[in-house]
Amino acid sequence: MRGQVLGVDRETGNGQISGDDGQRYVFRPRDWSDPIGPSVGALIDFEAEGTTARRIYRQPGTTMMPVAAPPQAGGRNKYIAAILAFLFGMLGVHRFYLGRNGSGVVMLVLSLTVVGLPVSWLWSMVDTIRYLVMPDDEFAARYGHRPQ
């Protein structure tokens, strides 16, 4: 069957495909057989087993086709994340907002120490700038949309 990659979680490598039959299929990194690897918008061939895609290959002769940015689940917005990082970043509030609870806790703990306070402040300023310059589709792929 043919389809298109809708999203890939950068942490786990799990993703979701829209098949030509109108159904959605999930995959894991071990299901990907193509040496290039998955990328959002890639046109692919795969075998469907229930709701899982197996033996996935990029279609020969195709290049990346742009797709609309995935929906931002839960109303996550890069501008709100940037404002939270700027105003309350030392406490890791923006990290909690984006679902990055582990690094949020690290920033919170760092803020409680004299040495860690400047580190978490610098970290939050870097995050602020990064969110503002990051393209909307990349932000949505990283923080807004998680394949089920």
Side-chain angles (χ1 to χ4, degrees), residues 37-79:
S39 58
V40 175
L43 299 176
I44 48 97
D45 285 318
F46 66 98
E47 293 180 19
E49 291 180 9
T51 60
T52 304
R54 304 270 190 223
R55 292 174 283 289
I56 307 166
Y57 291 91
R58 191 175 301 270
Q59 289 181 13
T62 62
T63 58
M64 278 293 301
M65 293 186 60
V67 258
Q72 294 197 10
R76 292 181 182 149
N77 182 297
K78 75 178 195 174
Y79 299 107

Side-chain angles (χ1 to χ4, degrees), residues 5 7 9 12 15 20 22 27 30 33 37 48 53 61 64 68 74 84 88 91 93-94 101 108 113 118 133 136 142:
V5 177
D9 186 320
T12 65
D20 283 347
F27 66 87
R30 68 174 178 253
S33 302
M64 278 293 301
L84 289 173
F88 308 108
L91 301 174
V93 172
H94 63 291
N101 297 335
L108 185 59
T113 66
V133 300
D136 291 339
R142 281 185 188 221

Side-chain angles (χ1 to χ4, degrees), residues 96-118:
F96 290 111
Y97 171 72
L98 295 173
R100 304 294 200 241
N101 297 335
S103 58
V105 169
V106 170
M107 290 184 83
L108 185 59
V109 170
L110 277 173
S111 296
L112 300 175
T113 66
V114 174
V115 175
L117 192 59

